[in-house]
Structure formats: structure tokens, C-alpha cells
Amino acid sequence: MSLPLHPLDTELLARALPMLDEEWLARDADLAPVLPTVLARNVGQDWHKAGTFRHHLVGVARSLTLWQQPRDVRLLGLLHSVYGNAFVDLVKFDPAKERARVRDLAGESAEHLVYLFCTQSRTQFVQKVLAHALEADGSMVLDDKDGKRHVLTPYEVAAFIIVSMADTIEQWFSWQDDIFSRFPHVQPRSQSAHWAASLWPGPMRPSGRMLHQISALGKALQHPGLRDQLPLPPVFADCSQHLSAANEAAATSLYWSVIQQDQPLVDMDVATGVLESAIRHNPWVAEPQMVLAQLYLSSGRRDDAKAVASSALHLFSAWGNAWDKRVQWDAWIAWTRILLQGAMVEETWPERLDKLNNVALRP
């Protein structure tokens, strides 16, 4: 086996495991004081892409916490759409009347970031980052709808890039690949003409085109004016590697062909080879590696299963969110730990199909 796998960072895993508890946010000294007021605005009742608005805000804050971002950036993640924005009509705090309320909750620095993130053009921001249109010092000039110019500081640019990475990985899946096709250069299309694409949630396939954009956002943090502004997210080798659009598309298609059982079903050799190819195209997401670990286990390749399960667990811990949105991040981690245990501990991985129902993590 020769695959581009990742060693398990035990410190990163140690940060991730407490977040499997749904109450982790309530114990976070920086975020917990803000949480009751946010929840009181019924964020748990609002639809948002692959879940509710509460799931989304918590998921973004979870990634930023794993990425060891400072308080104001993590609060930006928790509150990043509460004033509404061009991508979502949810307005949980009226920016004309309630900025002081949010400022009292979050502090001046965090509220300032939230207000800018909600009111400046994020489409223009992403377009400029992807086009490398940053100033020499890392700042960025944005034009608002009234033709006025606003200059984002290097710190604000770095914060908005990192929060955009977390925001995108938390929510994006195949449904948005279609309705927001070619983002950030979306063309108006008739919903009635594209009715099949409009049906939510669609097939729940992982995105085939958004991860390479996240990698490009991360790569922009290597700009000399941005590199030392904030901790680099521990994805794409600390934001140093680029994933091509072609490799992303190929990897997603190969992975999904196995999930959809479009490969021979009696023996595992073809599905195994297809997943190995998917990982070579895109070694930066965990789910193909996790599924491959199960195939290795089922074919008696315990050492190989240990290697890919460890790599998958590292990637789940690094992202803090799932790439494949069919189940939530915590469930993916839980099953990956079962697979790793099966590879490392004798007689914990069953031979009988029905006994998969019994597997449990040992103390």
C-alpha cells in the first residue's frame, strides 16, 4: 500500500474529543456567555443548508476552536450571520438597532468583525482572494453597493478567510454545488427550469467543486502580510498545499461510486482500488480513508486498516466538520474510532455481518 496518509496528531485529537459532547460550547469560557442570547433568538428552529442555523453556527465555532483561533475570531464564527448577509435572509439582531447589544455580549473587537462580515460583499471578498487581489501589506479594498471603498486590514482579511473556510466546510454539499453553481461567479438561473437541482436535500453527495476553493483560500494565508496574523488552520498541510479542481472532482466521483454501490459487490478488490485512487486524488478529507479502513479490516489487512483509520481520524480532528454530510461529524469520528480499535485490538472486529450491530468502543 502506498497512499498519501497523515500521521495522527494526538494533541489535535485531544482537542477534538471533548467536542463530541454536545455541551462543549456551554463549557467554553469565551463562547458560553454569548450562547444563551443567541439561542434565545430561535436559531435552533431555522433551516440552514444541511441542518439548522444552530447546527451551522456551532459547527463553524467548533472548527475555529480546533484551529486555536483567538476569542474575537471564534465569536465571529459563532455570530457570523446574525445581522444577515447577501447569502441568507436570517436576521437575528437588527444592525440598525442592536449593535450595542451585540457589542456588550461579544466585545467591541468581535462585534466589529461580525458587522463587517455581514455588511461587506463576501462574494467580492472571495473573488478577490481567489484572484490574489490583495495589497502588498495583506489588506484588501472592497467596493460597496453605493460605490464607496472600504479597506479591510490584514488582520480582518486573515480572519475573514479563516472563518470563510470554516463556514464553507460546515455547510457545503451537492445541493449547493447546483443551486450556487460556479460560486463565487453565480449566474441567475430559473428554478422551474432546474427543478431537479432545486429539490432539497438532493442526493447528499459531497461537493465536487468546493474543497479546492477552500484550499485556495487557505493558500492565500501564506501571503507575507497575512502569514503571521492568525494561527493557520491545520488542513492542507497548514494551508501550504493546493487541491486542483480536477483532482477534487475525480476523488468525489470515485468515492461516491463506492457509496452508491456502482462497483462489483461480491469481492472487495474493485471498490478497494477505487477508494485508493480517490485518496491519491484527494488526500485531504477523511471519509474515503475511513471507508477504505473498513474494507481493509474486512479483508484481514489490519496493519493497512490501522494506517488509514489513523489518518482519517487525524483529518476529522483537523476539520472539525464532515465533508460527507449524510451523518454528522461526531458520528464519523465515533465509527472511525471503532475501526481503529478493530485494527489494533484482537477480536474486536466481527466476521459476521449481523455482529456489526454489536460493536462498541472499549474503555
Side-chain angles (χ1 to χ4, degrees):
M1 181 186 67
S2 177
L3 294 174
L5 302 178
H6 307 271
L8 177 59
D9 184 331
T10 55
E11 291 184 6
L12 187 58
L13 177 62
R15 295 203 300 271
L17 290 181
M19 295 184 184
L20 300 178
D21 182 348
E22 289 188 357
E23 299 304 315
W24 74 269
L25 195 57
R27 295 192 294 266
D28 187 290
D30 291 332
L31 304 182
V34 180
L35 188 60
T37 303
V38 175
L39 294 180
R41 301 295 173 111
N42 296 324
V43 294
Q45 299 179 27
D46 289 305
W47 169 86
H48 191 282
K49 313 311 184 282
T52 67
F53 194 36
R54 181 188 188 279
H55 291 147
H56 176 60
L57 296 178
V58 171
V60 174
R62 182 175 60 228
S63 286
L64 297 173
T65 300
L66 280 169
W67 297 351
Q68 298 183 298
Q69 297 303 307
R71 178 183 182 275
D72 58 346
V73 177
R74 296 198 301 133
L75 282 167
L76 169 60
L78 185 64
L79 301 169
H80 70 273
S81 294
V82 296
Y83 291 142
N85 58 58
F87 300 146
V88 62
D89 294 335
L90 291 168
V91 178
K92 293 303 178 181
F93 293 88
D94 184 347
K97 301 176 181 178
E98 295 188 282
R99 287 194 65 188
R101 171 71 169 138
V102 177
R103 195 177 299 119
D104 288 343
L105 276 173
E108 185 171 350
S109 174
E111 191 280 333
H112 173 72
L113 290 175
V114 172
Y115 181 76
L116 284 181
F117 197 77
C118 290
T119 56
Q120 296 297 311
S121 171
R122 288 173 60 192
T123 296
Q124 185 184 163
F125 175 79
V126 173
Q127 289 172 344
K128 287 203 166 191
V129 173
L130 297 180
H132 310 291
L134 302 180
E135 303 300 314
D137 66 350
S139 62
M140 178 188 290
V141 179
L142 294 176
D143 299 312
D144 67 20
K145 59 185 177 182
D146 298 322
K148 297 179 181 178
R149 308 187 89 196
H150 183 90
V151 179
L152 297 178
T153 67
Y155 184 86
E156 291 164 352
V157 172
F160 288 4
I161 288 175
I162 291 169
V163 172
S164 294
M165 292 170 68
D167 180 35
T168 305
I169 193 61
E170 193 286 328
Q171 65 175 284
W172 209 279
F173 64 109
S174 58
W175 186 71
Q176 285 166 291
D177 272 356
D178 282 327
I179 67 161
F180 254 28
S181 184
R182 301 289 184 177
F183 178 84
H185 301 283
V186 179
Q187 299 298 316
R189 291 181 171 89
S190 165
Q191 182 182 163
S192 61
H194 297 279
W195 64 268
S198 76
L199 296 177
W200 184 87
M204 293 294 289
R205 185 180 62 252
S207 174
R209 60 158 54 105
M210 207 59 186
L211 203 67
H212 80 273
Q213 188 174 121
I214 298 175
S215 79
L217 291 175
K219 197 76 182 295
L221 293 169
Q222 299 293 340
H223 185 288
L226 303 182
R227 189 182 300 128
D228 298 322
Q229 294 290 335
L230 290 164
L232 292 173
V235 296
F236 301 110
D238 295 328
C239 298
S240 67
Q241 301 299 308
H242 178 66
L243 174 67
S244 73
N247 277 331
E248 177 182 9
T252 302
S253 295
L254 290 166
Y255 168 74
W256 199 245
S257 74
V258 175
I259 299 305
Q260 293 294 96
Q261 300 183 350
D262 289 336
Q263 305 298 336
L265 302 179
V266 174
D267 290 307
M268 293 179 277
D269 57 326
V270 175
T272 298
V274 168
L275 285 172
E276 289 172 341
S277 183
I279 292 163
R280 292 187 182 100
H281 281 289
N282 179 6
W284 305 111
V285 290
E287 289 85 340
Q289 299 182 23
M290 189 216 74
V291 177
L292 181 61
Q294 183 165 344
L295 292 185
Y296 282 162
L297 265 181
S298 297
S299 58
R301 298 170 60 178
R302 289 179 57 194
D303 289 344
D304 290 339
K306 177 183 175 182
V308 290
S310 295
S311 181
L313 192 56
H314 170 83
L315 290 167
F316 281 128
S317 301
W319 281 108
N321 276 290
W323 171 68
D324 185 336
K325 303 292 189 289
R326 291 175 300 147
V327 296
Q328 295 186 31
W329 174 78
D330 53 355
W332 285 111
I333 283 193
W335 186 248
T336 304
R337 294 178 75 197
I338 289 288
L339 297 176
L340 186 57
Q341 173 182 266
M344 296 177 66
V345 181
E346 292 280 357
E347 299 180 357
T348 58
W349 184 252
E351 293 186 10
R352 282 172 46 181
L353 181 64
D354 62 305
K355 291 301 182 181
L356 285 173
N357 194 66
N358 295 55
V359 294
L361 198 64
R362 295 187 177 183

